[in-house]
Amino acid sequence: MDKQVLEAAAERTFQYQDSLPPLPVPALEESLKKYLDAVKPFLNQEEYLRTEHIVKNFENGIGKELHQKLLERAKSRRNWLEEWWQNVAYLDLRISTQIYYNIGGAGPYIETYWPPKEGTQIERASVSIWHTLRYWDLLRTEKVAIDRSGNAVLDMSQYRKLFCTCKIPGVTRDSICNYFKTETEGECPSHLVVLCRGRVFTFDALHEGNMLTPPEIYRQLTYIQKRCYSEPDGPGLAALTSEERTKWAEMREYLIDLDPKNLTLLEKIQQSVFVVCLDDASPHATPEDYSEITRLGLTGDLTVRWGDKSYNSIFFSNGTCSAFCDHAPFDAMALIVMLSHAEGKISENEGKWKGSDKVRDIPWPEELVFTVDQKIMNGIEHAKESYYQKVSDLQLVNYAFTSFGKALIRKKKFHPDTFVQLALQLAYYRCHRRPGCCYETAMTRRFYHGRTETMRSCTMEAVEWCRSMLDPSAT
């Protein structure tokens, strides 16, 4: 059995959620010491002494009072930070979250079984979608292995938001709708949404209780593609999800007022397991250079990306693929575990479907046709102009480093992460002759609903090391 899937049949994915410890409030003195350590590499002596003085005043003054309030808050909440983090980091933002906050990355298959090749888009999409649906089913039946750090169980709540989840724009604050349920909890939406050439389609991933096979998914996607290639493009309503949040919220309300049926269609998209994006672009890609797939995955055709959806699976015309996700419901690790599972299965089967080619008599996909007027069409045009102007400013490279990997680093008794963090510091120091102010994400998933914390990798020791690396007289 796959290592991401249960080894002990008795253990269920979400079974330890209620027994996880609450998120602790760090000690005030310890937090302030960490703060001083973090700023020290960037300050001269006078600046550091002034900062130290301010920190001491805070610690002996208002800091004590504020820390007490945090301790009080933590008494009535299992995670005192969760609501604040969700709102301040994600839901209160008014800028375009699709452009500035969404996460994604290129599929790694070009190195193995799926090098770029025109005419493979639908075939590969069908196989990839099937493996993703299998993972959704493993979550539904709680057969995904529980993440651990050593022997400690980690919080698994983010996995519940990988699928059947969508962010809803609000005038002042967005919200997250999550429709996922495990089998024991009840019915869960099982339909997919497909975006192609500005149009929106949907079909159920289950037929008579059984999941569609890759040949059946292939039939559905081929039907959608043929229609989109032989008929005019759709309005590209998905473009509105890239707008500044309040504008999108107001446009969404207007769309619903225009025709109540529009709300039903929006809810269909929101509830879907995930969104499949059939993109006409054909990004250049080699096993060494993933830059264009990554760039187009993050900032490609906005009429075939639903920016608020927890997971968009993008398939380009040359058979390359990419992931694109709203960041609010989860952090990257949940996504990476799911994609890594799918990649392992695809590689295991050499990129092919090795089961039956039989196709059942399943219902054809249904098109979701929104009622739109000139105001909506103008809004879509404005969203496109604003989006392409902003993303034109993006500089991005994504090269695969192939000279050596973590095996060699471990052989030299280094931790691969330490190696990379110091490499970043050294590269910055070489370029600018000063330390680079950066942070590394840490996780707090040992605690109930824990997400992220910040580690400062630029320490005084790292700076000294960078200097010695550039000193010809150093041993």
Side-chain angles (χ1 to χ4, degrees):
M1 228 178 179
D2 187 280
K3 67 179 177 186
Q4 294 299 349
V5 182
L6 225 75
E7 283 152 21
E11 200 171 60
R12 300 186 325 279
T13 306
F14 304 112
Q15 80 175 64
Y16 299 122
Q17 286 303 111
D18 289 337
S19 58
L20 287 166
L23 184 73
V25 177
L28 178 62
E29 191 181 347
E30 182 192 340
S31 299
L32 296 176
K33 184 184 180 302
K34 281 182 179 171
Y35 171 75
L36 285 171
D37 287 345
V39 298
K40 197 168 190 178
F42 307 97
L43 307 178
N44 61 35
Q45 195 179 6
E46 187 193 333
E47 289 167 335
Y48 182 76
L49 289 171
R50 192 163 69 242
T51 305
E52 198 176 37
H53 177 68
I54 292 165
V55 165
K56 279 286 169 211
N57 284 345
F58 177 82
E59 185 180 355
N60 298 322
I62 188 84
K64 277 196 172 119
E65 192 183 323
L66 294 173
H67 191 252
Q68 200 51 47
K69 287 188 174 182
L70 277 188
L71 293 170
E72 284 302 314
R73 180 180 169 87
K75 283 178 186 173
S76 60
R77 288 171 171 81
R78 291 184 65 187
N79 189 314
W80 59 270
L81 181 62
E82 182 177 22
E83 187 188 348
W84 285 347
W85 178 253
Q86 187 90 34
N87 290 339
V88 176
Y90 301 110
L91 303 180
D92 289 344
L93 294 168
R94 296 297 87 198
I95 55 174
S96 164
T97 49
Q98 176 166 338
I99 297 172
Y100 297 111
Y101 266 70
N102 278 28
I103 54 176
Y109 313 109
I110 56 175
E111 294 170 25
T112 50
Y113 299 103
W114 288 353
K117 186 183 176 187
E118 289 299 334
T120 60
Q121 181 187 32
I122 300 299
E123 181 192 348
R124 291 177 182 180
S126 305
V127 172
S128 178
I129 289 164
W130 186 77
H131 284 294
T132 307
L133 287 168
R134 293 279 296 160
Y135 194 83
W136 165 75
D137 190 55
L138 290 170
L139 282 173
R140 288 257 299 134
T141 52
E142 294 197 67
K143 287 178 182 169
V144 168
I146 296 165
D147 291 340
R148 282 177 161 81
S149 174
N151 291 324
V153 167
L154 301 183
D155 182 273
M156 295 293 285
S157 61
Q158 292 179 46
Y159 286 85
R160 297 183 65 95
K161 296 168 190 163
L162 274 171
F163 302 111
C164 308
T165 301
C166 197
K167 190 165 66 191
I168 314 296
V171 174
T172 57
R173 174 182 285 166
D174 297 346
S175 56
I176 295 173
C177 281
N178 174 242
Y179 308 90
F180 175 84
K181 284 183 179 176
T182 62
E183 270 192 352
T184 52
E185 290 166 347
E187 289 295 308
C188 176
S190 57
H191 62 281
L192 296 172
V193 161
V194 181
L195 303 179
C196 182
R197 294 200 169 179
R199 294 167 73 175
V200 187
F201 294 84
T202 184
F203 62 88
D204 207 309
L206 300 178
H207 180 62
E208 295 173 345
N210 294 314
M211 197 178 293
L212 301 195
T213 62
E216 289 169 338
I217 297 167
Y218 183 92
R219 169 205 193 245
Q220 303 296 69
L221 296 182
T222 304
Y223 168 86
I224 290 166
Q225 195 178 59
K226 276 182 180 166
R227 280 195 55 185
C228 290
Y229 283 17
S230 60
E231 297 166 13
D233 287 359
L237 195 79
L240 294 175
T241 65
S242 74
E243 262 293 12
E244 182 268 335
R245 301 308 295 170
T246 299
K247 267 188 196 149
W248 166 214
E250 289 166 351
M251 196 60 81
R252 186 178 179 276
E253 282 307 313
Y254 178 81
L255 190 66
I256 292 163
D257 289 342
L258 200 59
D259 185 344
K261 187 189 77 168
N262 285 340
L263 176 59
T264 308
L265 302 183
L266 285 168
E267 286 173 341
K268 196 89 175 161
I269 297 168
Q270 288 159 202
Q271 293 166 2
S272 63
V273 180
F274 60 96
V275 169
V276 176
C277 313
L278 298 180
D279 194 311
D280 287 344
S282 186
H284 167 78
T286 68
E288 291 78 37
D289 187 359
Y290 283 83
S291 300
E292 202 177 356
I293 303 181
T294 308
R295 184 178 63 78
L296 289 176
L298 290 170
T299 61
D301 182 355
L302 77 169
T303 68
V304 289
R305 313 270 190 284
W306 200 268
D308 292 343
K309 197 72 181 130
S310 60
Y311 180 48
N312 290 257
S313 194
I314 304 166
F315 300 95
F316 295 105
S317 109
N318 62 352
T320 56
C321 54
S322 180
F324 186 57
C325 307
D326 174 35
H327 202 340
F330 53 77
D331 299 316
M333 277 318 296
L335 174 71
I336 287 166
V337 169
M338 185 270 282
L339 293 175
S340 174
H341 172 83
E343 183 201 349
K345 292 295 181 187
I346 288 166
S347 295
E348 229 175 80
N349 293 284
E350 299 163 322
K352 296 183 180 72
W353 166 245
K354 295 182 176 179
S356 167
D357 288 338
K358 185 175 178 290
V359 175
R360 291 168 289 172
D361 185 19
I362 50 180
W364 292 105
E366 170 202 349
E367 184 166 12
L368 305 183
V369 182
F370 287 84
T371 303
V372 297
D373 64 2
Q374 198 51 51
K375 182 175 174 178
I376 294 290
M377 294 309 294
N378 292 346
I380 291 168
E381 280 314 304
H382 177 271
K384 286 181 182 176
E385 282 170 30
S386 172
Y387 174 87
Y388 287 119
Q389 185 250 319
K390 286 181 175 119
V391 302
S392 68
D393 193 33
L394 176 71
Q395 294 178 343
L396 185 152
V397 290
N398 182 0
Y399 300 135
F401 182 80
T402 55
S403 303
F404 59 86
K406 69 179 179 184
L408 178 70
I409 299 169
R410 285 191 188 282
K411 197 176 168 186
K412 300 285 181 190
K413 296 190 166 51
F414 275 117
H415 192 289
D417 185 63
T418 306
F419 182 91
V420 171
Q421 290 298 322
L422 284 168
L424 288 169
Q425 289 297 328
L426 180 59
Y428 190 93
Y429 205 96
R430 274 183 173 156
C431 291
H432 305 287
R433 289 299 187 272
R434 57 187 169 85
C437 183
C438 76
Y439 85 93
E440 183 184 11
T441 305
M443 60 136 184
T444 57
R445 285 177 54 207
R446 285 182 179 220
F447 305 102
Y448 180 78
H449 285 194
R451 280 190 67 164
T452 58
E453 186 48 274
T454 296
M455 279 166 40
R456 300 285 169 181
S457 50
C458 184
T459 59
M460 289 305 294
E461 291 85 352
V463 176
E464 287 305 315
W465 175 77
C466 288
R467 286 181 187 141
S468 70
M469 287 294 282
L470 300 179
D471 178 359
S473 67
T475 63

PDB file of all heavy atoms in Angstrom, residues 222-237:
ATOM      1  N   THR A 222     -13.528  15.417 -23.778  1.00  0.00           N
ATOM      2  CA  THR A 222     -13.537  15.522 -25.247  1.00  0.00           C
ATOM      3  C   THR A 222     -14.810  16.213 -25.719  1.00  0.00           C
ATOM      4  O   THR A 222     -14.776  17.075 -26.613  1.00  0.00           O
ATOM      5  CB  THR A 222     -13.411  14.119 -25.891  1.00  0.00           C
ATOM      6  OG1 THR A 222     -12.234  13.499 -25.398  1.00  0.00           O
ATOM      7  CG2 THR A 222     -13.322  14.214 -27.405  1.00  0.00           C
ATOM      8  N   TYR A 223     -15.933  15.867 -25.121  1.00  0.00           N
ATOM      9  CA  TYR A 223     -17.217  16.499 -25.451  1.00  0.00           C
ATOM     10  C   TYR A 223     -17.131  18.017 -25.197  1.00  0.00           C
ATOM     11  O   TYR A 223     -17.525  18.824 -26.053  1.00  0.00           O
ATOM     12  CB  TYR A 223     -18.329  15.880 -24.580  1.00  0.00           C
ATOM     13  CG  TYR A 223     -19.641  16.623 -24.616  1.00  0.00           C
ATOM     14  CD1 TYR A 223     -20.585  16.370 -25.617  1.00  0.00           C
ATOM     15  CD2 TYR A 223     -19.948  17.582 -23.648  1.00  0.00           C
ATOM     16  CE1 TYR A 223     -21.793  17.061 -25.658  1.00  0.00           C
ATOM     17  CE2 TYR A 223     -21.149  18.274 -23.674  1.00  0.00           C
ATOM     18  CZ  TYR A 223     -22.071  18.012 -24.679  1.00  0.00           C
ATOM     19  OH  TYR A 223     -23.263  18.701 -24.708  1.00  0.00           O
ATOM     20  N   ILE A 224     -16.574  18.390 -24.038  1.00  0.00           N
ATOM     21  CA  ILE A 224     -16.458  19.816 -23.685  1.00  0.00           C
ATOM     22  C   ILE A 224     -15.537  20.525 -24.669  1.00  0.00           C
ATOM     23  O   ILE A 224     -15.858  21.598 -25.193  1.00  0.00           O
ATOM     24  CB  ILE A 224     -15.928  19.962 -22.232  1.00  0.00           C
ATOM     25  CG1 ILE A 224     -17.007  19.500 -21.232  1.00  0.00           C
ATOM     26  CG2 ILE A 224     -15.503  21.397 -21.937  1.00  0.00           C
ATOM     27  CD1 ILE A 224     -16.497  19.291 -19.812  1.00  0.00           C
ATOM     28  N   GLN A 225     -14.396  19.907 -24.945  1.00  0.00           N
ATOM     29  CA  GLN A 225     -13.421  20.539 -25.834  1.00  0.00           C
ATOM     30  C   GLN A 225     -13.969  20.703 -27.252  1.00  0.00           C
ATOM     31  O   GLN A 225     -13.815  21.757 -27.869  1.00  0.00           O
ATOM     32  CB  GLN A 225     -12.136  19.713 -25.848  1.00  0.00           C
ATOM     33  CG  GLN A 225     -10.955  20.474 -26.442  1.00  0.00           C
ATOM     34  CD  GLN A 225      -9.688  19.647 -26.393  1.00  0.00           C
ATOM     35  OE1 GLN A 225      -9.638  18.556 -26.964  1.00  0.00           O
ATOM     36  NE2 GLN A 225      -8.670  20.151 -25.731  1.00  0.00           N
ATOM     37  N   LYS A 226     -14.643  19.667 -27.763  1.00  0.00           N
ATOM     38  CA  LYS A 226     -15.215  19.758 -29.122  1.00  0.00           C
ATOM     39  C   LYS A 226     -16.210  20.894 -29.225  1.00  0.00           C
ATOM     40  O   LYS A 226     -16.226  21.649 -30.204  1.00  0.00           O
ATOM     41  CB  LYS A 226     -15.880  18.426 -29.502  1.00  0.00           C
ATOM     42  CG  LYS A 226     -14.907  17.401 -30.047  1.00  0.00           C
ATOM     43  CD  LYS A 226     -15.600  16.103 -30.455  1.00  0.00           C
ATOM     44  CE  LYS A 226     -14.568  15.106 -31.009  1.00  0.00           C
ATOM     45  NZ  LYS A 226     -15.137  13.752 -31.093  1.00  0.00           N
ATOM     46  N   ARG A 227     -17.054  21.028 -28.206  1.00  0.00           N
ATOM     47  CA  ARG A 227     -18.038  22.114 -28.214  1.00  0.00           C
ATOM     48  C   ARG A 227     -17.359  23.476 -28.167  1.00  0.00           C
ATOM     49  O   ARG A 227     -17.735  24.391 -28.892  1.00  0.00           O
ATOM     50  CB  ARG A 227     -19.006  21.964 -27.032  1.00  0.00           C
ATOM     51  CG  ARG A 227     -20.092  20.932 -27.302  1.00  0.00           C
ATOM     52  CD  ARG A 227     -21.233  21.036 -26.323  1.00  0.00           C
ATOM     53  NE  ARG A 227     -21.805  22.379 -26.273  1.00  0.00           N
ATOM     54  CZ  ARG A 227     -22.755  22.757 -25.412  1.00  0.00           C
ATOM     55  NH1 ARG A 227     -23.236  21.874 -24.543  1.00  0.00           N
ATOM     56  NH2 ARG A 227     -23.231  23.984 -25.421  1.00  0.00           N
ATOM     57  N   CYS A 228     -16.339  23.594 -27.311  1.00  0.00           N
ATOM     58  CA  CYS A 228     -15.657  24.888 -27.162  1.00  0.00           C
ATOM     59  C   CYS A 228     -14.857  25.258 -28.419  1.00  0.00           C
ATOM     60  O   CYS A 228     -14.690  26.435 -28.717  1.00  0.00           O
ATOM     61  CB  CYS A 228     -14.741  24.869 -25.941  1.00  0.00           C
ATOM     62  SG  CYS A 228     -15.657  24.826 -24.390  1.00  0.00           S
ATOM     63  N   TYR A 229     -14.362  24.238 -29.135  1.00  0.00           N
ATOM     64  CA  TYR A 229     -13.576  24.509 -30.340  1.00  0.00           C
ATOM     65  C   TYR A 229     -14.457  24.815 -31.552  1.00  0.00           C
ATOM     66  O   TYR A 229     -13.994  25.438 -32.508  1.00  0.00           O
ATOM     67  CB  TYR A 229     -12.661  23.322 -30.661  1.00  0.00           C
ATOM     68  CG  TYR A 229     -11.419  23.237 -29.786  1.00  0.00           C
ATOM     69  CD1 TYR A 229     -11.344  23.942 -28.587  1.00  0.00           C
ATOM     70  CD2 TYR A 229     -10.333  22.458 -30.155  1.00  0.00           C
ATOM     71  CE1 TYR A 229     -10.223  23.860 -27.778  1.00  0.00           C
ATOM     72  CE2 TYR A 229      -9.186  22.366 -29.339  1.00  0.00           C
ATOM     73  CZ  TYR A 229      -9.152  23.075 -28.152  1.00  0.00           C
ATOM     74  OH  TYR A 229      -8.036  22.998 -27.351  1.00  0.00           O
ATOM     75  N   SER A 230     -15.736  24.371 -31.520  1.00  0.00           N
ATOM     76  CA  SER A 230     -16.590  24.556 -32.699  1.00  0.00           C
ATOM     77  C   SER A 230     -17.638  25.660 -32.505  1.00  0.00           C
ATOM     78  O   SER A 230     -18.342  26.018 -33.434  1.00  0.00           O
ATOM     79  CB  SER A 230     -17.297  23.238 -33.037  1.00  0.00           C
ATOM     80  OG  SER A 230     -18.104  22.839 -31.939  1.00  0.00           O
ATOM     81  N   GLU A 231     -17.726  26.197 -31.272  1.00  0.00           N
ATOM     82  CA  GLU A 231     -18.708  27.248 -30.981  1.00  0.00           C
ATOM     83  C   GLU A 231     -17.976  28.485 -30.457  1.00  0.00           C
ATOM     84  O   GLU A 231     -16.805  28.403 -30.092  1.00  0.00           O
ATOM     85  CB  GLU A 231     -19.710  26.730 -29.931  1.00  0.00           C
ATOM     86  CG  GLU A 231     -20.535  25.520 -30.406  1.00  0.00           C
ATOM     87  CD  GLU A 231     -21.267  24.826 -29.261  1.00  0.00           C
ATOM     88  OE1 GLU A 231     -21.349  25.399 -28.148  1.00  0.00           O
ATOM     89  OE2 GLU A 231     -21.747  23.694 -29.473  1.00  0.00           O
ATOM     90  N   PRO A 232     -18.654  29.649 -30.410  1.00  0.00           N
ATOM     91  CA  PRO A 232     -17.975  30.873 -29.922  1.00  0.00           C
ATOM     92  C   PRO A 232     -17.509  30.736 -28.470  1.00  0.00           C
ATOM     93  O   PRO A 232     -18.084  29.973 -27.688  1.00  0.00           O
ATOM     94  CB  PRO A 232     -19.059  31.951 -30.046  1.00  0.00           C
ATOM     95  CG  PRO A 232     -20.076  31.399 -30.979  1.00  0.00           C
ATOM     96  CD  PRO A 232     -20.040  29.919 -30.835  1.00  0.00           C
ATOM     97  N   ASP A 233     -16.464  31.497 -28.126  1.00  0.00           N
ATOM     98  CA  ASP A 233     -15.975  31.519 -26.743  1.00  0.00           C
ATOM     99  C   ASP A 233     -17.061  32.039 -25.812  1.00  0.00           C
ATOM    100  O   ASP A 233     -17.931  32.811 -26.225  1.00  0.00           O
ATOM    101  CB  ASP A 233     -14.749  32.439 -26.620  1.00  0.00           C
ATOM    102  CG  ASP A 233     -13.506  31.805 -27.248  1.00  0.00           C
ATOM    103  OD1 ASP A 233     -13.607  30.668 -27.755  1.00  0.00           O
ATOM    104  OD2 ASP A 233     -12.450  32.461 -27.241  1.00  0.00           O
ATOM    105  N   GLY A 234     -16.971  31.634 -24.538  1.00  0.00           N
ATOM    106  CA  GLY A 234     -17.913  32.129 -23.531  1.00  0.00           C
ATOM    107  C   GLY A 234     -17.484  33.492 -22.997  1.00  0.00           C
ATOM    108  O   GLY A 234     -16.443  34.032 -23.397  1.00  0.00           O
ATOM    109  N   PRO A 235     -18.265  34.058 -22.068  1.00  0.00           N
ATOM    110  CA  PRO A 235     -17.967  35.407 -21.559  1.00  0.00           C
ATOM    111  C   PRO A 235     -16.715  35.480 -20.695  1.00  0.00           C
ATOM    112  O   PRO A 235     -16.169  36.560 -20.478  1.00  0.00           O
ATOM    113  CB  PRO A 235     -19.212  35.769 -20.745  1.00  0.00           C
ATOM    114  CG  PRO A 235     -19.819  34.452 -20.360  1.00  0.00           C
ATOM    115  CD  PRO A 235     -19.510  33.510 -21.495  1.00  0.00           C
ATOM    116  N   GLY A 236     -16.241  34.334 -20.171  1.00  0.00           N
ATOM    117  CA  GLY A 236     -15.031  34.351 -19.326  1.00  0.00           C
ATOM    118  C   GLY A 236     -15.308  34.915 -17.944  1.00  0.00           C
ATOM    119  O   GLY A 236     -14.519  35.691 -17.401  1.00  0.00           O
ATOM    120  N   LEU A 237     -16.426  34.513 -17.360  1.00  0.00           N
ATOM    121  CA  LEU A 237     -16.844  35.030 -16.061  1.00  0.00           C
ATOM    122  C   LEU A 237     -15.797  34.812 -14.970  1.00  0.00           C
ATOM    123  O   LEU A 237     -15.683  35.599 -14.030  1.00  0.00           O
ATOM    124  CB  LEU A 237     -18.170  34.358 -15.653  1.00  0.00           C
ATOM    125  CG  LEU A 237     -18.920  35.019 -14.507  1.00  0.00           C
ATOM    126  CD1 LEU A 237     -19.670  36.248 -15.004  1.00  0.00           C
ATOM    127  CD2 LEU A 237     -19.881  34.051 -13.851  1.00  0.00           C
TER     128      LEU A 237
END
